[in-house]
Amino acid sequence: MLASARDTTSPTFKWRPYQAHALDAGARLFTEPGCNPIVVIPTGGGKGPLSAEFSRRYILSTGKRVIVATHVKELVQQNYNQIRRVAPHLNAGIFSASLGRKDRHGQVTIANVQSIASHARSFKNVGLLIIDEAHLLQHGEDGQYHQLIKGLRSISPDLIVLGLTATPWRLNSGNLIEPFKGVEPLFNEVAYEIGIAELVADGYLTRIVPRSTKVRQNTTGVRRAAGEFAPKELNEAVNVDELNIAITDEVIDAAEGRKAILDFCVGIDHAERVAKTYNDRGIPAAFVSGDMAAAERDRIINSFKAGRTRVLANCGILTTGFDHPAVDCIVHRRPTNSPGLFLQITGRGTRVVYAEGYDLETREGRLAAIAAGGKPDCLMLDFAQNTMRHGLIDSVRGIHKKGKEADASSTIKECFCGVINARDAQFCSGCGSEFPTKLGGAPTAAEREAKLHKSNTAEAVMNENAVEFQVLGMRYSRHTKEGAPDSFKVSFTVPGEPWPISVWWLFNAEGWGKKTARLNWRKFTDGGKPPNSVDEAIARAQELKYPARIWASRRGSFWTIEGMSFDHYQK
C-alpha cells in the first residue's frame, strides 16, 4: 500500500485540497500494471511540490529510486528545492551539466534530460520517472526523453512514467493520451485534472484580465510549418520598427501602474528591438534569450525580479521554469497557433501575491488577500491576437489529432471598457457592467424579467446561458442504445426541472470515450480506481459522491452540463 501525505512529509508543509486529491489519484495508479499517468495542474498551481511528494511516497512504499527529469536548469533547481522543502529527509541529488553537478546515488535525482539521457543505464533500481512539463515528450520513440526511458527500462522493465503538465497536448500530435498515426501514446491515463477557472475562483491563482488592443499584428500570408507559423516569415511580418513602437506606446498607456511586465517576442532581434523602444521612452527594460551567457541572463532576470527593470522582453526563454509572482502584465507580441504555448505564456501572470493578515485557509480569506495585495489581477495585452485563435485561457481545450484548432473568435466578446469576456458572460470581468443580449451576451436583469413576464415560463430565460443548479439528488443506471455499447448513465435531480439532467460514461467503449469515463470516475471518487465496465460501475456506484452544484446550458430540448462543484458534497 502506498504512503499517504501524512506519513513523513515536512510538518510545516500543508497541502491544498486539490493537491491532496491529485496526489492520492496519481499514487493509486502506481499499483496498476502498465499505467503511465498524467496529472494536469495549471501554471502556478504547484506542480513542483507534487513531484516531491510523489517521489517521497513512492520511495517510502517501494524502496526504489526516483528520477525527476525536465528540460531547463531553472526547473531542475526549483524541483530540487521542493524536495528539500517537502521531504527533507530524502537523499536527493542533481544531475545537470548546466548546474555543475552529476550526482548518481541519491534516492531521488533531479535531472536535465539533456544531461542524463545518455547515462540512464548507470542509474540502478529506478522504479519511477517523473517528467516535469510532460507535453515536451515527443510522440513515438524519438527524442531524449525516449532515450532516457529506454535506458532505464533496459534495467528496470516495470518502470512507471508519471507526467506533470499544465497543457496535455502537443501542436503536431494532439492529446498526449491519444494515439497518433497508429502509434500508441506513452501516457495512457489522466489521473487528475483541474482547470484555471477553478483555481482562480478558489483564490489559488490570480485572474487574467485580457484587454483589447488598438494596434494588432497581421499574420496574413505567413506560412505554417508543422502547424506553427514559420519563424523567419513571422519575424518579417511583425518585427517592424513602426509596429514595435506603436505597440510599446500602447503598452505604456494601458499598463500604467503595472510594475512587472513580461513582453513575449518572436525572435532575439525582435526582443532586443522591443526592449530598446521602452528604454527610449524612459521605461527601464531589458531582454533575455537562450543565446546569452548564463551568468548574463541570470543577472538580467534578477534585476527584473528586484524591481530595477520594469519590462523584460524575451524570446522562447521565459515560457517555462520562470517563477516570479509579482508579474502583473503579460504582453503578447508572438502570434502562435499552439494553445499550449498560449497558456504557458499567459500563465506567467497567474501566480498570486497575498496581502498579510488574512486567513489563507478559507476561500474568502484568499480572495480578500489577493484583492488587498500588490497584484489583484494581471493585465494581458494581446497584440498577437492569440485570444482570437484560442479563446480565454480558462476555456482553452487544446487540439486533437484530427484537425487544427478552430477560430475561437465566436466564443468571446469585447466590453466597451476594452476587456475581453466569454461570449455568454452576463457581466464584464473588468468593469462589472451587465451585457445586453444585443451584444451577444446573456440577458440583463431587465430583459430577463420582461421575457419572463411575456412567456410566463422560466425555460425561456434559462436556455440562453449556463444556469447554476443545486443538486438535490443523483441516481445511476445502465443506458442501452441500439448499435452502440451500453453506457453508465448518471442523472442529477435539480430544482425546477421535471426531468433529471444526465451525463453518460462510456466504460464499454474504446479509445477516448473510455478514458473520459475513467477520468470522470476519479473526479467523483477523489481519485478512486475506475471500473472497467458498465457492470462493474453499477456494482460500485455507492462509491460516487455527488456534487453540490452543477452548471448547465440548454441545447435544444436537452441540458448540457458545463461544470460542477463538489463543495460540501454528499454521499
Side-chain angles (χ1 to χ4, degrees):
M1 181 177 179
L2 286 172
S4 73
R6 295 181 297 273
D7 292 335
T8 56
T9 309
S10 171
T12 62
F13 199 88
K14 297 193 69 173
W15 295 108
R16 297 170 176 178
Y18 68 89
Q19 289 177 318
H21 292 160
L23 288 165
D24 290 340
R28 285 193 185 104
L29 286 178
F30 293 165
T31 63
E32 294 187 18
C35 189
N36 298 309
I38 290 179
V39 171
V40 182
I41 303 288
T43 300
K47 293 186 293 295
L50 293 185
S51 70
E53 178 63 4
F54 277 128
S55 300
R56 185 196 68 81
R57 291 193 190 190
Y58 186 81
I59 292 168
L60 183 65
S61 302
T62 68
K64 295 183 178 181
R65 301 169 66 194
V66 176
I67 291 176
V68 180
T70 189
H71 66 295
V72 293
K73 69 170 187 177
E74 289 82 5
L75 285 176
V76 173
Q77 189 63 60
Q78 289 174 26
N79 280 315
Y80 178 79
N81 293 344
Q82 292 295 347
I83 287 283
R84 300 267 53 84
R85 176 185 175 211
V86 174
H89 66 287
L90 288 182
N91 179 4
I94 289 176
F95 198 95
S96 170
S98 56
L99 291 176
R101 290 179 59 178
K102 290 193 174 181
D103 306 328
R104 296 175 183 266
H105 304 294
Q107 293 172 292
V108 56
T109 301
I110 318 300
N112 267 120
V113 66
Q114 300 93 325
S115 299
I116 200 173
S118 60
H119 298 276
R121 287 177 174 81
S122 66
F123 285 82
K124 313 295 184 183
N125 196 35
V126 175
L128 174 64
L129 169 65
I130 300 175
I131 299 179
D132 191 4
E133 306 293 349
H135 56 278
L136 296 177
L137 178 77
Q138 295 185 29
H139 224 97
E141 297 184 354
D142 296 329
Q144 290 176 311
Y145 279 115
H146 287 287
Q147 181 185 358
L148 173 60
I149 292 167
K150 288 177 185 176
L152 293 174
R153 282 185 169 165
S154 68
I155 303 170
S156 305
D158 296 329
L159 176 78
I160 298 167
V161 182
L162 168 68
L164 300 178
T165 184
T167 53
W169 352 270
R170 290 181 59 85
L171 179 61
N172 61 355
S173 56
N175 198 296
L176 292 182
I177 64 170
E178 288 187 335
F180 179 68
K181 293 184 177 180
V183 178
E184 289 298 315
L186 171 70
F187 298 114
N188 48 27
E189 190 84 49
V190 177
Y192 182 83
E193 181 172 6
I194 193 166
I196 294 172
E198 295 166 271
L199 296 191
V200 170
D202 283 338
Y204 293 116
L205 292 179
T206 296
R207 69 188 183 100
I208 297 292
V209 178
R211 187 172 294 278
S212 178
T213 60
K214 298 175 184 177
V215 181
R216 297 182 181 183
Q217 294 170 325
N218 187 351
T219 57
T220 302
V222 177
R223 287 186 309 107
R224 299 186 182 194
E228 185 59 290
F229 292 113
K232 182 178 179 180
E233 292 185 21
L234 182 61
N235 183 69
E236 292 173 353
V238 303
N239 187 16
V240 179
D241 286 340
E242 294 80 2
L243 181 59
N244 291 337
I245 290 170
I247 290 175
T248 293
D249 286 341
E250 187 170 344
V251 171
I252 293 172
D253 181 58
E256 183 178 0
R258 304 281 170 169
K259 299 177 180 178
I261 303 171
L262 285 182
D263 199 319
F264 289 85
C265 305
V266 302
I268 297 173
D269 179 66
H270 190 207
E272 186 173 5
R273 290 191 190 188
V274 164
K276 183 177 185 303
T277 63
Y278 287 108
N279 286 315
D280 288 347
R281 284 153 182 74
I283 305 296
F287 79 97
V288 290
S289 74
D291 288 353
M292 276 184 171
E296 175 67 3
R297 186 170 65 244
D298 291 345
R299 182 191 67 77
I300 293 172
I301 290 175
N302 289 335
S303 177
F304 177 70
K305 289 184 174 182
R308 294 187 295 272
T309 301
R310 184 180 172 198
V311 181
L312 188 56
N314 74 100
C315 167
I317 191 68
L318 301 181
T319 53
T320 57
F322 181 74
D323 184 355
H324 184 43
V327 169
D328 57 1
C329 181
I330 299 292
V331 178
H332 283 265
R333 300 196 203 212
R334 178 179 179 172
T336 178
N337 286 312
S338 167
L341 181 57
F342 172 59
L343 284 180
Q344 293 286 352
I345 289 174
T346 310
R348 298 306 109 192
T350 58
R351 286 182 168 86
V352 295
V353 175
Y354 293 125
E356 296 183 357
Y358 292 85
D359 182 6
L360 301 184
E361 297 300 312
T362 68
R363 175 179 179 272
E364 293 75 14
R366 290 188 296 271
L367 293 175
I370 292 173
K375 178 187 164 183
D377 57 46
C378 178
L379 176 66
M380 183 181 78
L381 299 172
D382 186 8
F383 300 94
Q385 303 188 69
N386 289 324
T387 306
M388 299 290 285
R389 296 182 183 92
H390 308 297
L392 300 177
I393 66 164
D394 57 4
S395 61
V396 175
R397 293 293 179 264
I399 58 173
H400 292 272
K401 59 185 181 298
K402 294 183 179 179
K404 300 171 184 176
E405 185 168 7
D407 177 9
S409 60
S410 63
T411 68
I412 59 179
K413 64 187 174 190
E414 181 183 338
C415 179
F416 68 87
C417 73
V419 171
I420 301 172
N421 294 265
R423 172 62 65 181
D424 60 356
Q426 182 176 343
F427 298 95
C428 175
S429 63
C431 67
S433 298
E434 191 170 15
F435 289 108
T437 52
K438 66 181 180 180
L439 292 183
T444 65
E447 289 171 330
R448 289 196 305 275
E449 184 176 0
K451 190 168 185 178
L452 185 58
H453 283 300
K454 180 178 179 180
S455 63
N456 200 31
T457 82
E459 178 183 329
V461 179
M462 291 189 295
N463 64 12
E464 294 192 34
N465 61 291
V467 178
E468 179 180 342
F469 292 103
Q470 178 187 2
V471 176
L472 303 178
M474 183 177 79
R475 63 175 183 265
Y476 22 80
S477 61
R478 178 189 300 275
H479 179 73
T480 302
K481 182 178 180 180
E482 186 175 355
D486 288 358
S487 60
F488 182 70
K489 182 178 180 181
V490 184
S491 301
F492 303 102
T493 304
V494 299
E497 284 297 307
W499 303 104
I501 298 176
S502 301
V503 292
W504 291 262
W505 297 351
L506 307 180
F507 287 109
N508 287 5
E510 296 298 329
W512 184 249
K514 185 163 190 170
K515 289 178 179 178
T516 302
R518 290 169 63 85
L519 175 59
N520 284 329
W521 183 277
R522 295 187 192 283
K523 288 181 178 179
F524 276 68
T525 58
D526 288 335
K529 181 179 179 180
N532 291 312
S533 66
V534 171
D535 288 338
E536 186 182 350
I538 291 174
R540 294 172 51 197
Q542 73 280 358
E543 298 175 22
L544 299 173
K545 62 185 182 181
Y546 70 75
R549 295 166 291 157
I550 62 172
W551 287 264
S553 57
R554 188 176 285 281
R555 302 287 187 268
S557 302
F558 302 96
W559 288 97
T560 298
I561 295 177
E562 307 286 354
M564 58 186 63
S565 171
F566 289 96
D567 292 343
H568 311 300
Y569 75 84
Q570 304 179 40
K571 283 191 175 180

